[in-house]
Amino acid sequence: MATAPTSTSVEYEVVIGLEVHSQLLTTSKMFCRCPADYANAEPNTHICPVCSGYPGVLPVINEQAIDYIMMTALALNCEIPDFCKFDRKNYGYPDLPKGYQISQYDRPISRNGYILLDVNGEERRIGITRVHMEEDTGRLVHREGKNSYTLVDLNRAGVPLMEIVSEPDIRGAEEARLYMEKLRTILVYLGVSSGKMEEGALRCDANVSIRPRGQQEFGVKTEIKNMNSFRSVERAISYEIGRQIEVLSSGGVIHQETRGWDEDRGVTVSQRSKEYADDYRYFPEPDLPPLVISREWVERIRAQMPELPDAKSKRFVEQYGLSARDAGQLTAEKALADYYEAAVAAGTSADTAARAKAAANWTLGDLRRLLNAGSLDITESRVAPQGLAELLDLIESGKISGKQGKEVLEKAFASGDTPAAVVEREGIAQMSDSGELERIVDEVIADNPKAVEDYHAGKTASVQFLVGQVMKRTRGRARPDMVSPLLLGKLGAP
Ligand SMILES: [Zn+2]
């Protein structure tokens, strides 16, 4: 567990709980038929009387959203009670025309789950308090200037949100980041979230407090908002822990409040005193009946669940003989795991174990380096899985060397041509024509009488020099395993 040493003798324990909001990749909004995807829409074009909060309208529950939340809950090992209900969370804000959000208060869709994390080799179990439904608000666009004003765009209002609340089980900033990363991986695997933190599709608030080690009672917590990357989650929490230690160590008190993360300055800033649940005047949503969730429904969703990252990683170790480390890296992104499996399947190699290992090495090594250099996602790779398989076939058949393979991959990646086309076009191939090679070996022997003499005088190391000369004349195209025997045969006994 992370400890926070201080200048005084008090040692503090860090207590963190995360509230994660994820937009769901549903077709329509939570309670109306407006499209949920507002990314490229003109402001206020995906709206209707329901999501604009007109009086007298009635919400209708989006079944796909409930399916997605249930799927997430099952993936996070949660219980799904027989029924749940919807509540109004009341507050006034310009981006919330109804004056309330429909959320779930005391009867969420699910509760009591957990997520397993690998924190520096140690398995940590972080409790999931609940996964429940919410709806998103609209957006405010502020225009600064002499006559500054604010515009309201309701395209986002009513987009389905899922809130995932953790238990206060997280013990450090790094652990919080690892939790977020694992959670994002799971959501993307399930296909319920785009996982794009930078676009606000996945948002995280952190409740952070510290307490003297050994104390049962929690310290006063602050809530940090506005973290839009994994890096900012770790930095913001790390800063806040340091700030709280400093306040307590100097005899001050922590106030329960909401603090915003200022990415540029690297500090958290007090925003407002924290609301308590009572402030929201939660009450049951009168326009929606409680939702009964049959066991058949739960089982139907369970049957649709895709293979999750932990299971896939385990399978990669068993099926492909990969190390746990390689399997973990390949399965951290679903798209990367899919790419890898497609590349293995596309190959023609008889030695499937060697092929699986080689495909992992190339995917995690040279291919990933090229992707990173271009800030590209694996789905944007200009070498398709079939292309990688083709490259591995070329190397395995001896047509090109491993070193030439790197060059071929780079050229294929840059041009979008297949590796075979690159080899053809650039004339990159190992010289397998033994007649041509023999001619060059004869030339090298004729042109280097001194080295040949040295060899016959017992200086066997001069063979290496002659091999080097052959490689040079063939511009690296000769196969070293063919050159040596050929040379030795021609030179005769030393
Ligand atoms: Zn609508």
Side-chain angles (χ1 to χ4, degrees):
M1 280 191 206
T3 55
T6 68
S7 53
T8 68
S9 60
V10 182
E11 200 185 321
Y12 289 103
E13 182 182 41
V14 175
V15 177
I16 301 163
L18 293 183
E19 289 171 18
V20 175
H21 282 92
S22 171
Q23 283 180 348
L24 295 171
L25 292 175
T26 53
T27 310
S28 55
K29 291 187 181 182
M30 190 63 225
F31 299 113
C32 62
R33 302 176 76 157
C34 295
D37 181 5
Y38 56 87
N40 299 310
E42 288 294 311
N44 297 310
T45 52
H46 290 184
I47 61 172
C48 72
V50 174
C51 55
S52 306
Y54 281 42
V57 296
L58 288 174
V60 177
I61 297 168
N62 181 336
E63 187 178 342
Q64 191 183 25
I66 302 296
D67 285 353
Y68 281 2
I69 296 170
M70 230 194 280
M71 196 180 268
T72 305
L74 291 172
L76 300 179
N77 309 293
C78 290
E79 299 161 11
I80 298 181
D82 292 334
F83 83 97
C84 64
K85 72 178 183 57
F86 301 92
D87 301 272
R88 288 189 182 181
K89 179 181 181 181
N90 299 280
Y91 66 96
Y93 210 67
D95 61 11
L96 189 67
K98 287 194 298 221
Y100 61 86
Q101 275 173 297
I102 302 179
S103 178
Q104 297 193 294
Y105 184 52
D106 54 351
R107 292 286 185 166
I109 294 179
S110 68
R111 59 190 179 210
N112 293 340
Y114 64 88
I115 194 167
L116 294 176
L117 296 185
D118 177 353
V119 182
N120 303 316
E122 185 196 349
E123 185 175 86
R124 295 268 299 127
R125 181 183 160 122
I126 309 298
I128 301 291
T129 315
R130 55 197 277 161
V131 180
H132 72 247
M133 185 238 78
E134 262 198 358
E135 57 175 332
D136 215 338
T137 61
R139 283 194 300 179
L140 299 180
V141 182
H142 304 289
R143 295 270 189 252
E144 304 297 340
K146 192 158 156 250
N147 300 308
S148 64
Y149 56 95
T150 296
L151 298 166
V152 182
D153 176 8
L154 295 180
N155 281 347
R156 196 178 72 177
V159 166
L161 279 183
M162 159 171 79
E163 182 169 352
I164 301 161
V165 183
S166 88
E167 289 289 295
D169 290 345
I170 299 167
R171 291 291 170 266
E174 187 197 10
E175 203 167 290
R177 175 179 54 79
L178 292 170
Y179 169 90
M180 274 303 288
E181 287 176 355
K182 184 75 178 275
L183 190 56
R184 177 187 179 276
T185 300
I186 293 172
L187 298 183
V188 174
Y189 262 76
L190 293 172
V192 302
S193 167
S194 74
K196 290 179 178 164
M197 283 190 87
E198 67 284 4
E199 290 175 12
L202 193 64
R203 296 168 238 159
C204 165
D205 301 333
N207 289 299
V208 179
S209 66
I210 57 173
R211 61 184 171 190
R213 182 164 293 283
Q215 178 182 303
Q216 284 303 302
E217 196 186 325
F218 289 126
V220 176
K221 68 183 177 187
T222 57
E223 183 177 24
I224 316 173
K225 287 188 180 287
N226 202 26
M227 300 170 287
N228 58 5
S229 69
F230 295 126
R231 186 165 170 266
S232 63
V233 167
E234 185 166 356
R235 282 180 73 208
I237 293 175
S238 178
Y239 173 87
E240 181 61 15
I241 292 167
R243 188 191 71 83
Q244 292 190 9
I245 289 173
E246 211 173 290
V247 169
L248 291 186
S249 302
S250 58
V253 286
I254 305 290
H255 301 286
Q256 180 158 342
E257 62 181 354
T258 299
R259 298 179 70 86
W261 169 241
D262 184 329
E263 182 80 42
D264 295 332
R265 288 164 58 213
V267 297
T268 61
V269 188
S270 178
Q271 288 185 325
R272 56 190 146 100
S273 65
K274 166 78 182 150
E275 305 86 351
Y276 293 82
D278 285 354
D279 295 338
Y280 290 120
R281 297 280 172 229
Y282 279 101
F283 64 81
E285 167 59 59
D287 291 337
L288 291 172
L291 185 64
V292 174
I293 298 177
S294 69
R295 294 307 92 183
E296 290 73 30
W297 190 357
V298 175
E299 290 317 311
R300 197 176 75 231
I301 297 300
R302 200 191 299 278
Q304 290 170 16
M305 302 257 293
E307 183 180 39
L308 292 171
D310 284 351
K312 198 184 278 290
S313 178
K314 206 165 158 246
R315 179 169 65 77
F316 276 22
V317 170
E318 286 162 8
Q319 183 175 343
Y320 300 118
L322 301 182
S323 69
R325 190 165 171 275
D326 284 358
Q329 288 189 23
L330 285 170
T331 55
E333 286 281 343
K334 184 173 183 295
L336 189 66
D338 290 347
Y339 181 99
Y340 169 74
E341 291 214 273
V344 173
T348 56
S349 175
D351 187 350
T352 50
R355 171 53 61 91
K357 183 72 188 134
N361 289 343
W362 282 87
T363 305
L364 293 173
D366 289 86
L367 180 63
R368 191 158 62 171
R369 183 173 52 73
L370 292 168
L371 291 168
N372 289 346
S375 297
L376 296 171
D377 203 79
I378 185 73
T379 56
E380 298 164 303
S381 170
R382 284 183 290 264
V383 174
Q386 293 72 20
L388 185 67
E390 192 177 286
L391 180 78
L392 298 181
D393 285 344
L394 287 166
I395 296 169
E396 201 181 298
S397 66
K399 186 126 198 279
I400 60 172
S401 67
K403 199 164 161 239
Q404 288 172 325
K406 287 174 189 285
E407 187 191 340
V408 170
L409 182 68
E410 270 170 35
K411 289 187 167 155
F413 195 88
S415 63
D417 291 337
T418 65
V422 170
V423 164
E424 181 72 30
R425 187 186 66 215
E426 308 269 330
I428 304 169
Q430 294 197 110
M431 194 179 289
S432 51
D433 176 351
S434 59
E436 190 188 355
L437 184 60
E438 203 174 331
R439 188 174 52 75
I440 292 173
V441 167
D442 286 341
E443 277 175 25
V444 165
I445 289 174
D447 294 349
N448 295 279
K450 178 80 175 64
V452 173
E453 198 178 305
D454 287 350
Y455 169 76
H456 286 124
K459 288 188 190 165
T460 49
S462 64
V463 171
Q464 286 317 306
F465 169 78
L466 293 169
V467 169
Q469 292 302 305
V470 173
M471 296 307 285
K472 204 169 154 190
R473 283 196 194 193
T474 60
R475 282 174 292 123
R477 287 161 59 233
R479 292 177 55 171
D481 61 329
M482 283 172 74
V483 175
S484 286
L486 201 56
L487 251 174
L488 290 172
K490 299 243 173 211
L491 291 169

